[in-house]
Amino acid sequence: MSTISHLDIYLHDRPVGVLVLLPGDRSLFTFLDEYIEDTARPVLSLSFKDEFGETITATRPVQTKLPPFFSNLLPEGIMRNYLAARAGVKESREFFLLWVLGEDLPGAVTARPADGVKPPPHSALSDARQWEKEDDHLKFSLAGVQLKLSALRRTHGGLTIPARGLGGDWIVKLPDLRFAGIPENEFSMMSLARHMGIAVPEIALLDLDEIDGLPRDITVVKDQNGLKGQTGVQGQAFAVRRFDRPEGGGRVHTEDFAQIFRLYPERKYERANYRNIAEVIAAEIGMDGIEDFIRRLVFNILIGNGDMHLKNWSLIYPDRRHAALAPAYDYVSTIPYIKSDTFALNLGGQKRFDDIGLDAFLDMADKASLSTKMTRRIALESVTRFREVWQKEHPHLPMHDSVRNAIAANLNRCPLAKAQ
């Protein structure tokens, strides 16, 4: 039996390329000729598209990490540490982490070793066997830093975490004792976004006893004093249906803007701004996409969400070839937890919520060659709509008072909230 030296990359179960492990812990991705030559091929990523719309085939090997598109498929932070530890994989060895998690990546990509191939004898995986156990919850790698698991909807309500996390069509985000009420916060912000006319997947708040199959090393605690490490959880969980796993089965391909801009996850707050995102949306989707983008920007400024970085904006490919703006996700008001938080990226030269006004949108539109008249109209309509939705809905939503008060204070200070 040969040792693993490459992973076959599939898109919608169609082979598209090979990710090769080279000597010196370097990796290189190459497309298959049949994929390149197919003029009706599905889109893997805009990052592989040049200015003329042709597929970029000349790539260079990268050290230790995977190429940015694949690196961004892997989890970050707590989730990465948790899964890597369970699999016996060093979290920095991304090739091997992809090998373990490659069957349930975001979107429609899978990474598979050739049949019968085992890991190299001196790799971090050579002595690890945990991922082969039936009760393991490894094969789920949705990017992000919050501890979250793939789940299936039970016919009688609630959710079930499947063995190995494979095939889940819901994401369960567990509560975090460091930040009180995060699940209730996200549920409330996503509910407000839906009332604003923003596309939002199906969502739910669940008591932890409504979730079957939590990994045995995740401990449910009754109070903060009972927490014994990062895998203790307390309170309710937030659940959201995966928009890349439609009802009826199958997968829909997606990619985030860190992938599109060929940036590693740690650069998700750098090297790009909202104008850059707008330019891609205008080119790939058109004005309907831009209007939706402006509406989402306004919403996240008014709720004080400082985490709208490149990985929290995604494109989705419903027909496999043409992009649309993916449904909203990870909408959380961050200002109750980080009092001095700012917008994640630059908008018209501004990042502080206290400084962002209508002029920032007009500056973005001008530099992105968008209609300033349209931008003004959509921004002002969105501000008005938000105030109506907030006034009507916030008293009935389960957000903590600290969240409610922080957003109310932001609306009183933020110039955009007063624009007319």
Side-chain angles (χ1 to χ4, degrees):
M1 188 181 296
S2 61
T3 60
I4 186 171
S5 60
H6 70 273
L7 295 169
D8 294 328
I9 304 301
Y10 294 80
L11 181 61
H12 300 288
D13 288 324
R14 167 185 174 168
V16 298
V18 177
L19 192 59
V20 181
L21 181 65
L22 303 171
D25 201 20
R26 297 177 300 154
S27 59
L28 175 68
F29 174 70
T30 56
F31 282 108
L32 299 178
D33 288 342
E34 50 265 42
Y35 174 80
I36 296 171
E37 293 165 2
D38 181 3
T39 57
R41 58 184 173 269
V43 174
L44 178 64
S45 172
L46 296 182
S47 65
F48 296 114
K49 180 178 173 181
D50 66 19
E51 59 183 315
F52 304 107
E54 300 298 323
T55 301
I56 297 172
T57 58
T59 58
R60 296 181 179 181
V62 295
Q63 185 72 40
T64 307
K65 291 178 176 291
L66 294 174
F69 174 81
F70 297 98
S71 182
N72 277 286
L73 295 173
L74 298 173
E76 302 173 70
I78 294 171
M79 188 68 174
R80 175 181 287 219
N81 295 341
Y82 172 74
L83 291 175
R86 287 179 67 90
V89 179
K90 193 173 181 180
E91 60 269 17
S92 62
R93 305 290 297 281
E94 293 191 342
F95 182 90
F96 302 118
L97 193 57
L98 187 69
W99 184 81
V100 173
L101 302 173
E103 287 292 340
D104 200 9
L105 300 168
V109 176
T110 52
R112 304 169 188 163
D115 290 343
V117 172
K118 65 182 181 179
H122 302 297
S123 79
L125 291 175
S126 59
D127 297 321
R129 293 293 180 267
Q130 290 187 5
W131 71 90
E132 295 176 353
K133 297 179 182 177
E134 284 300 315
D135 63 345
D136 249 354
H137 300 74
L138 282 172
K139 304 253 179 180
F140 174 60
S141 65
L142 201 76
V145 297
Q146 189 175 13
L147 191 58
K148 48 194 174 183
L149 298 164
S150 186
L152 297 164
R153 169 72 86 175
R154 296 200 306 256
T155 56
H156 56 284
L159 297 173
T160 297
I161 308 295
R164 298 193 176 207
L166 274 172
D169 49 17
W170 284 72
I171 300 163
V172 176
K173 297 187 180 182
L174 301 178
D176 190 329
L177 292 180
R178 299 169 301 171
F179 304 110
I182 282 282
E184 294 86 350
N185 184 330
E186 185 165 1
F187 178 87
S188 299
M189 298 309 108
M190 296 283 276
S191 298
L192 289 170
R194 176 178 286 119
H195 286 293
M196 281 277 294
I198 296 169
V200 172
E202 185 180 352
I203 58 175
L205 269 181
L206 299 173
D207 293 331
L208 294 176
D209 59 9
E210 295 183 77
I211 305 170
D212 291 340
L214 283 173
R216 290 175 295 180
D217 58 353
I218 294 179
T219 306
V220 178
V221 298
K222 299 299 183 183
D223 56 58
Q224 189 164 350
N225 293 329
L227 181 59
K228 302 293 183 183
Q230 291 297 320
T231 53
V233 293
Q234 172 193 29
Q236 291 186 296
F238 174 73
V240 57
R241 180 178 286 279
R242 291 181 65 172
F243 52 76
D244 62 341
R245 299 292 186 269
E247 293 187 66
R251 301 184 181 193
V252 180
H253 191 47
T254 66
E255 63 172 330
D256 64 48
F257 273 83
Q259 292 173 298
I260 291 169
F261 292 141
R262 303 176 197 149
L263 296 173
Y264 283 105
E266 59 268 27
R267 295 295 184 89
K268 62 189 178 185
Y269 295 97
E270 308 170 18
R271 300 289 188 91
N273 54 42
Y274 295 115
R275 184 198 80 199
N276 302 136
I277 295 176
E279 289 169 338
V280 173
I281 293 173
E284 297 294 331
I285 304 173
M287 286 306 102
D288 287 346
I290 288 294
E291 291 187 11
D292 196 5
F293 176 64
I294 293 170
R295 190 174 299 112
R296 297 187 193 200
L297 279 177
V298 168
F299 177 81
N300 281 285
I301 291 166
L302 297 183
I303 67 169
N305 182 1
D307 209 36
M308 289 306 295
H309 50 68
L310 293 174
K311 292 190 68 60
N312 280 342
W313 296 91
S314 288
L315 298 183
I316 189 168
Y317 298 89
D319 67 355
R320 305 190 178 191
R321 289 178 54 80
H322 300 97
L325 200 55
Y329 60 97
D330 288 357
Y331 281 14
V332 175
S333 176
T334 62
I335 52 176
Y337 315 108
I338 307 171
K339 303 299 182 185
S340 61
D341 207 6
T342 62
F343 217 19
L345 306 174
N346 184 293
L347 176 67
Q350 303 295 336
K351 291 186 72 173
R352 284 170 39 88
F353 295 121
D354 291 0
D355 296 333
I356 298 176
L358 184 60
D359 286 349
F361 282 82
L362 301 181
D363 181 82
M364 176 193 72
D366 182 60
K367 291 179 178 176
S369 299
L370 304 175
S371 166
T372 54
K373 182 179 179 180
M374 177 274 294
T375 299
R376 176 189 291 273
R377 176 178 60 83
I378 297 300
L380 291 177
E381 288 176 357
S382 300
V383 171
T384 300
R385 179 59 181 158
F386 179 88
R387 284 197 167 278
E388 295 169 350
V389 167
W390 174 254
Q391 187 68 25
K392 180 180 178 181
E393 301 296 335
H394 85 82
H396 315 295
L397 291 170
M399 70 186 86
H400 289 195
D401 284 344
S402 59
V403 177
R404 206 180 316 271
N405 295 338
I407 294 174
N410 187 55
L411 292 175
N412 286 331
R413 291 192 307 264
C414 180
L416 180 63
K418 304 178 179 66
Q420 54 186 355

